[in-house]
């Protein structure tokens, strides 16, 4: 079973992926946050930069596209093919209000008939392998029953399932039964995603679904960047955690404004990373900082001195801090 780093828009930038891979071995693939094709069918300079393979190489990167228009998807597929990519992922999971309102991301799950027409157009012409990342429905888990036969009709390279509905965002329990149903009925490789926060949870998944092609981990890796390293028999050590933090800060500071851009990016990361510290007030103290010059010494001091927990404490995550409409 392979273990991939989930795409997280605004967080898993090229810098973060490269610094993470250099510090924490073991991640099989890093997925790129979604790319929205422009009407002009041109990649922006920013999109091009994010798509450069760098030291990871294209085979360890999975580019993802968010669109409801098959023409846009096929354009993106050929542009990515020209850049040397061999797989493109379709986003059917994004729960953001603006995205769903436009009928994209999880909004594509509203009508299985429309989704079927979209997939038909895409699979009849796609120049590269197409994988799909999906939720199990828009409003209710019962919708999954109507979506499974649609997916089953196409030669999907791999289906990654986050077994929650759009309404559930990333909250509460996952519907593991819906995932098991897909594993039993779909003819192509399946990847599981959702609430894998410890090596023990990954082991339990592997034991309960032996045929799985893999799992994808997101927030668990932000809270404990060594999570996949540990799943593969490695350890987490404080020095590497500090090196990761400092190298990422250096890269961001070289390209972005400290207070206007680096600070909000690091706050988003620390919302999760603070769950690894025994010091429960860490996040409250960090989120109050208005300047990078105030935030950085506090964050570094916490990484150097605070007790690290054996596993990140996700029960402490304050969901009201989590923004999805970014
Ligand atoms: C801030 C944020 C941004 C995300 N951006 C993307 C994205 O660009 N594409 C995507 O498929 N999923 C995105 N996701 C969903 C994650 O890839 C993943 O499915 C989700 O975090 C659940 O997995 P986890 O429980 O391991 O964190 C995002 C999630 C968060 C919290």
């Amino acid at each position: 079973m392979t273990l991939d780093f989930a795409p997280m828009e605004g967080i898993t930038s090229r810098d973060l992926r490269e610094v993470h891979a250099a510090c924490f071995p073991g991640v099989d693939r890093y997925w790129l946050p979604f790319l929205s094709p422009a009407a002009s069918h041109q990649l922006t300079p920013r999109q091009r930069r994010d798509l450069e393979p760098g030291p990871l190489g294209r085979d360890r990167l999975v580019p993802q596209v968010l669109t409801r228009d098959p023409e846009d998807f096929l354009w993106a597929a050929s542009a990515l093919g020209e850049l040397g990519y061999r797989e493109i992922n379709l986003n059917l999971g994004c729960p953001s209000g603006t995205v769903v309102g436009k009928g994209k991301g999880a909004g594509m799950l509203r009508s299985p008939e429309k989704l079927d027409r979209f997939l038909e157009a895409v699979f009849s012409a796609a120049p590269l392998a197409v994988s799909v990342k999906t939720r199990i429905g828009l409003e209710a888990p019962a919708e999954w029953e109507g979506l499974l036969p649609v997916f089953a009709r196409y030669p999907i390279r791999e289906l990654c399932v986050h077994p929650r509905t759009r309404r559930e965002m990333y909250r509460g329990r996952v519907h593991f039964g819906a995932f098991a149903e897909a594993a039993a009925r779909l003819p192509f490789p399946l990847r599981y995603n959702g609430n894998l926060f410890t090596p023990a949870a990954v082991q339990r998944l592997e034991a309960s679904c032996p045929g799985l092609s893999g799992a994808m981990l997101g927030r668990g890796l932000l809270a404990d960047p060594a999570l996949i390293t540990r799943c593969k028999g490695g350890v987490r050590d404080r020095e590497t955690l500090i090196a990761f933090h400092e190298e990422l800060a250096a890269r961001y500071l070289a390209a972005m404004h400290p207070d206007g851009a680096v600070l909000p990016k690091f706050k988003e990361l620390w919302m999760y990373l603070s769950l690894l510290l025994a010091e429960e007030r860490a996040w409250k103290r960090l989120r109050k900082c208005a300047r990078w010059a105030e935030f950085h010494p506090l964050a570094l001091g916490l990484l150097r001195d605070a007790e690290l927990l054996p596993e990140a404490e996700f029960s402490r995550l304050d969901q009201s801090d989590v923004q999805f409409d970014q």
Side-chain angles (χ1 to χ4, degrees), residues 6-12 31-35 64 89 91-95 133 135 162 164 170 174 193-197 216-222 268 272 314 322-324 326:
M8 302 178 92
E9 219 270 312
I11 305 181
T12 61
W31 292 43
L32 277 61
F34 66 76
L35 170 166
Q64 186 188 63
N89 182 266
N91 179 321
L92 297 181
C94 183
K133 180 165 182 262
R135 286 177 180 261
H162 179 72
R164 286 192 174 99
Y170 297 106
V174 293
N193 167 247
N195 289 30
L196 293 175
F197 300 143
M216 165 190 279
L217 289 77
R219 295 166 297 172
L221 275 168
L222 301 179
E268 199 163 9
Y272 298 100
F314 267 84
V322 183
Q323 302 287 323
F324 294 109
Q326 48 197 337

Side-chain angles (χ1 to χ4, degrees), residues 2-267:
T2 59
L3 300 178
D4 291 356
F5 201 141
M8 302 178 92
E9 219 270 312
I11 305 181
T12 61
S13 61
R14 179 174 161 200
D15 285 327
L16 184 137
R17 298 189 300 268
E18 290 181 4
V19 175
H20 184 270
C23 293
F24 301 103
V27 174
D28 288 286
R29 298 184 305 172
Y30 290 80
W31 292 43
L32 277 61
F34 66 76
L35 170 166
S36 292
S40 61
H41 284 181
Q42 299 277 334
L43 289 169
T44 63
R46 199 165 150 216
Q47 288 171 333
R48 277 191 185 279
R49 187 185 175 282
D50 205 52
L51 285 163
E52 275 167 27
L56 279 166
R58 290 181 192 83
D59 289 345
R60 286 182 71 200
L61 297 173
V62 183
Q64 186 188 63
V65 172
L66 177 90
T67 181
R68 59 173 195 176
D69 180 342
E71 290 303 315
D72 285 350
F73 188 87
L74 290 169
W75 165 76
S78 70
L80 291 168
E82 278 166 25
L83 291 175
Y85 286 96
R86 290 191 289 199
E87 176 181 338
I88 178 171
N89 182 266
L90 168 68
N91 179 321
L92 297 181
C94 183
S96 141
T98 37
V99 167
V100 171
K102 291 182 195 152
K104 302 181 193 175
M108 301 262 285
L109 305 176
R110 187 185 301 278
S111 159
E113 295 74 26
K114 272 194 195 160
L115 178 63
D116 198 9
R117 286 199 294 277
F118 177 93
L119 294 176
E120 172 68 41
V122 159
F123 278 93
S124 59
L128 7 158
V130 177
S131 59
V132 176
K133 180 165 182 262
T134 189
R135 286 177 180 261
I136 59 169
L138 194 65
E139 302 290 342
E143 294 165 31
W144 192 224
E145 203 42 50
L147 292 165
L148 280 174
V150 176
F151 290 128
R153 275 198 276 283
Y154 297 97
I156 296 177
R157 163 63 60 89
E158 179 182 83
L159 185 72
C160 177
V161 183
H162 179 72
R164 286 192 174 99
T165 61
R166 184 264 164 169
R167 179 183 281 279
E168 291 164 329
M169 297 290 203
Y170 297 106
R171 288 189 287 268
R173 293 173 68 94
V174 293
H175 300 275
F176 194 75
F179 182 78
E181 188 65 25
R185 287 175 43 190
L186 293 176
F188 38 68
L190 274 196
R191 181 172 299 275
Y192 173 85
N193 167 247
N195 289 30
L196 293 175
F197 300 143
T198 62
V202 174
Q203 269 170 14
R204 279 195 299 275
L205 170 71
E206 196 160 16
S208 61
C209 282
L212 216 55
S213 72
M216 165 190 279
L217 289 77
R219 295 166 297 172
L221 275 168
L222 301 179
D224 178 2
L227 181 55
I228 288 185
T229 309
R230 292 172 56 223
C231 288
K232 296 199 174 177
V235 292
R236 178 203 320 129
D237 71 84
R238 192 186 290 274
E239 290 315 311
T240 312
L241 213 49
I242 294 172
F244 166 70
H245 189 264
E246 293 305 283
E247 177 59 23
L248 186 62
R251 288 220 197 180
Y252 280 174
L253 289 167
M256 292 182 277
H257 190 275
D259 299 334
V262 182
L263 179 65
K265 280 199 176 294
F266 264 68
K267 278 194 180 173

